[in-house]
């Protein structure tokens, strides 16, 4: 089986480029190109491969062989979520002789009451209360199908957030297997696509998004808001996978169709009040700016950010925080380091438990640190918050 270095060398020679010429054309350093071809780089970053793919007229997924991107969670994160992983990946729970059986109504109430913890990124509290709730949902039997699927969707989303990818796959697969209809299934598939994207499995993410976008495509003249939301999210995931896989035409086409679905809705719509499925003009605008960030167009990111409509329903904290990271990265690329720090500080203040799980945040702050002779107290606090390695 060929390695990343083998594929890179083969394509570079076909393009009649030297290593130095490829480095200049891609914006990747000569040393990185050399080390990749010699197999001395470990697992390369997805963004590095995307830059190299463009001048070689190939896709990111071909260069990487669709292997998962590196980035395991740290030891503290692994320990925090041990209880959740144990329930998701362990044997089915059983009632003890003195246990009181849970009720569907009781578990439904608990899930509803806990939903703000998910949408508000309250990871510390969730790590404590989620394991027993997952056990109770498993004990409900067939009559608890609906609430169990909902809880598995939330747990899978949370595991993706915290890079617990194996547990996420288990939770989301079980949620999809238990779905009663295609719209309930689509709510799970949206997160499955996101999981594949975070793993760097771009081809798999594209294929899954294409299949469900085709399955969900409604008749626009009589589509319900829930149908438009489900279809729109499949298209956004297709666009995200395509832009990262150096398929700009496919990315633009999918985003154009998602925009049409958002226009048909006219506002942000969350089916059944589910924050994970909130979709509309604001969500599409955020994803349009994200695509511009992926292809390194910082001026366009800032221009699009200024146009994001914030009226009506607020997008999920995850989408909004990701957008602030895109803006911070754009400011760094334009050497507006103070503005970048302001955005990172805003995220830290609003979502202190979300930020440490974002590798992108560490990359952004690392660029700032490398440009500064001395660090301000604010930057040092941010470095601790994002768990920036000392050697950065």
């Amino acid at each position: 089986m060929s390695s990343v270095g083998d594929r890179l060398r083969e394509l570079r020679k076909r393009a009649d480029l030297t290593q130095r010429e490829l480095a200049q054309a891609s914006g990747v350093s000569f040393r990185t190109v050399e080390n990749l071809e010699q197999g001395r780089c470990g697992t390369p970053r997805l963004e590095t491969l995307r830059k190299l793919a463009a001048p070689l007229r190939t896709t990111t997924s071909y260069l990487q062989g669709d292997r998962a991107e590196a980035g395991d969670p740290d030891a503290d994160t692994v320990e925090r979520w041990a209880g959740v992983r144990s329930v998701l990946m362990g044997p089915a729970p059983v009632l003890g002789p003195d246990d009181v059986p849970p009720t569907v109504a009781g578990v439904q109430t608990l899930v509803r009451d806990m939903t703000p913890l998910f949408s508000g990124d309250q990871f510390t509290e969730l790590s404590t209360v989620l394991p027993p709730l997952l056990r109770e949902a498993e004990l409900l039997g067939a009559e608890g199908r609906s609430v169990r699927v909902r809880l598995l969707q939330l747990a899978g989303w949370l595991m993706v957030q915290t890079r617990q990818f194996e547990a996420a796959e288990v939770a989301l697969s079980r949620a999809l297997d238990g779905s009663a209809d295609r719209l309930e299934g689509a709510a799970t598939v949206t997160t499955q696509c996101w999981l594949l994207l975070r793993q760097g499995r771009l081809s798999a993410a594209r294929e899954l998004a294409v299949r469900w976008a085709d399955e969900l495509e409604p008749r626009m003249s009589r589509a319900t808001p829930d149908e438009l939301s489900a279809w729109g999210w499949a298209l956004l995931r297709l666009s995200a996978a395509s832009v990262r896989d150096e398929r700009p035409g496919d990315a633009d086409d999918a985003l154009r169709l998602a925009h049409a679905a958002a226009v048909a809705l006219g506002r942000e719509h969350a089916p059944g009040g589910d924050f994970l499925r909130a979709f509309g003009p604001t969500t599409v605008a955020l994803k349009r700016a994200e695509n511009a960030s992926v292809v390194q167009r910082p001026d366009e990111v800032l221009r699009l950010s200024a146009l994001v409509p914030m009226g009506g329903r607020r997008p999920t904290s995850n989408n909004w925080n990701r957008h602030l990271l895109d803006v911070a990265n754009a400011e760094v690329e334009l050497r507006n380091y103070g503005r970048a720090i302001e955005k990172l500080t805003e995220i830290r203040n609003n979502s202190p438990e979300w930020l440490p799980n974002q590798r992108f945040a560490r990359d952004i702050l690392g660029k700032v640190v490398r440009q500064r002779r001395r660090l301000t107290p604010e930057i040092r606090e941010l470095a601790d918050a994002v768990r920036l390695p000392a050697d950065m």
Side-chain angles (χ1 to χ4, degrees):
M1 182 175 178
S2 63
S3 66
V4 173
D6 293 335
R7 288 187 289 274
L8 179 61
R9 187 184 306 108
E10 175 190 356
L11 289 170
R12 176 179 60 77
K13 289 181 177 178
R14 286 186 190 177
D16 194 26
L17 295 172
T18 66
Q19 290 181 339
R20 197 168 298 280
E21 287 169 340
L22 176 58
Q24 292 172 345
S26 64
V28 174
S29 72
F30 168 73
R31 180 61 60 84
T32 297
V33 173
E34 184 181 47
N35 286 340
L36 279 172
E37 292 196 3
Q38 295 299 320
R40 297 196 297 260
C41 262
T43 302
R45 293 293 306 275
L46 196 63
E47 177 58 22
T48 299
L49 296 181
R50 191 198 66 77
K51 291 178 181 178
L52 291 166
L56 294 174
R57 299 184 180 277
T58 189
T59 62
T60 312
S61 55
Y62 175 79
L63 274 181
Q64 71 168 351
D66 240 11
R67 295 178 297 114
E69 186 179 13
D72 291 332
D74 59 35
D76 290 343
T77 300
V78 171
E79 182 179 359
R80 170 180 288 180
W81 299 108
V84 175
R85 292 196 309 275
S86 177
V87 178
L88 290 174
M89 304 172 70
V94 295
L95 280 173
D98 298 324
D99 291 336
V100 177
T103 65
V104 173
V107 175
Q108 284 176 331
T109 298
L110 287 171
V111 172
R112 184 179 65 248
D113 291 345
M114 282 177 54
T115 298
L117 299 181
F118 288 94
S119 61
D121 306 313
Q122 301 298 309
F123 294 161
T124 299
E125 191 168 351
L126 281 170
S127 67
T128 300
V129 300
L130 186 54
L133 186 55
L134 284 166
R135 291 192 192 94
E136 291 195 7
E138 286 298 314
L139 291 168
L140 291 176
E143 66 274 16
R145 182 209 62 79
S146 178
V147 67
R148 185 165 50 251
V149 166
R150 172 61 176 160
L151 187 57
L152 286 169
Q153 289 172 341
L154 289 167
W157 175 82
L158 180 62
M159 293 295 94
V160 178
Q161 282 274 30
T162 56
R163 307 190 74 86
Q164 314 281 302
F165 294 151
E166 187 177 2
E169 288 177 357
V170 171
L172 295 171
S173 293
R174 288 170 55 194
L176 188 59
D177 289 343
S179 296
D181 54 48
R182 62 176 186 162
L183 291 184
E184 190 174 52
T188 299
V189 169
T190 294
T191 306
Q192 285 183 319
C193 287
W194 180 41
L195 167 62
L196 293 169
L197 288 171
R198 292 204 78 177
Q199 291 176 304
R201 297 163 61 186
L202 301 182
S203 292
R206 288 187 68 254
E207 291 167 4
L208 183 61
V210 166
R211 185 165 72 249
W212 277 80
D214 289 345
E215 170 70 20
L216 294 164
E217 184 173 3
R219 290 189 178 182
M220 296 294 285
S221 60
R222 56 186 188 185
T224 68
D226 287 7
E227 289 171 337
L228 289 170
S229 175
W231 184 51
W233 263 115
L235 291 165
L236 289 179
R237 294 307 192 206
L238 173 56
S239 181
S242 297
V243 75
R244 287 164 173 79
D245 203 16
E246 198 55 38
R247 299 172 183 266
D250 292 345
D252 289 344
D253 289 345
L255 198 58
R256 175 176 51 79
L257 291 172
H259 176 72
V263 169
L265 276 170
R267 59 182 175 85
E268 292 291 306
H269 171 71
D274 183 359
F275 75 96
L276 292 180
R277 294 190 279 171
F279 173 84
T282 299
T283 299
V284 172
L286 295 177
K287 296 304 181 184
R288 193 183 300 278
E290 181 178 318
N291 282 9
S293 179
V294 170
V295 298
Q296 295 185 299
R297 298 178 59 193
D299 289 323
E300 183 69 357
V301 172
L302 298 184
R303 186 187 73 82
L304 291 170
S305 178
L307 300 176
V308 173
M310 293 305 296
R313 183 181 293 274
R314 185 181 178 86
T316 68
S317 64
N318 181 48
N319 284 338
W320 181 245
N321 287 337
R322 163 66 206 213
H323 176 67
L324 292 180
L325 286 180
D326 288 331
V327 171
N329 188 59
E331 297 288 13
V332 168
E333 293 299 313
L334 296 172
R335 302 182 181 277
N336 299 323
Y337 301 120
R339 294 177 188 172
I341 293 301
E342 288 176 5
K343 294 301 179 184
L344 291 173
T345 300
E346 180 180 346
I347 298 171
R348 184 198 61 189
N349 292 341
N350 293 334
S351 301
E353 295 190 69
W354 181 88
L355 188 60
N357 293 283
Q358 308 308 311
R359 185 174 176 178
F360 190 24
R362 287 192 287 276
D363 291 343
I364 295 167
L365 189 60
K367 295 175 187 176
V368 176
V369 168
R370 285 190 291 271
Q371 296 298 320
R372 301 292 293 261
R373 291 186 178 181
R374 299 189 65 179
L375 304 184
T376 65
E378 186 178 29
I379 293 177
R380 289 197 292 271
E381 289 176 6
L382 280 172
D384 291 339
V386 303
R387 300 171 184 168
L388 190 70
D391 59 0
M392 294 292 286

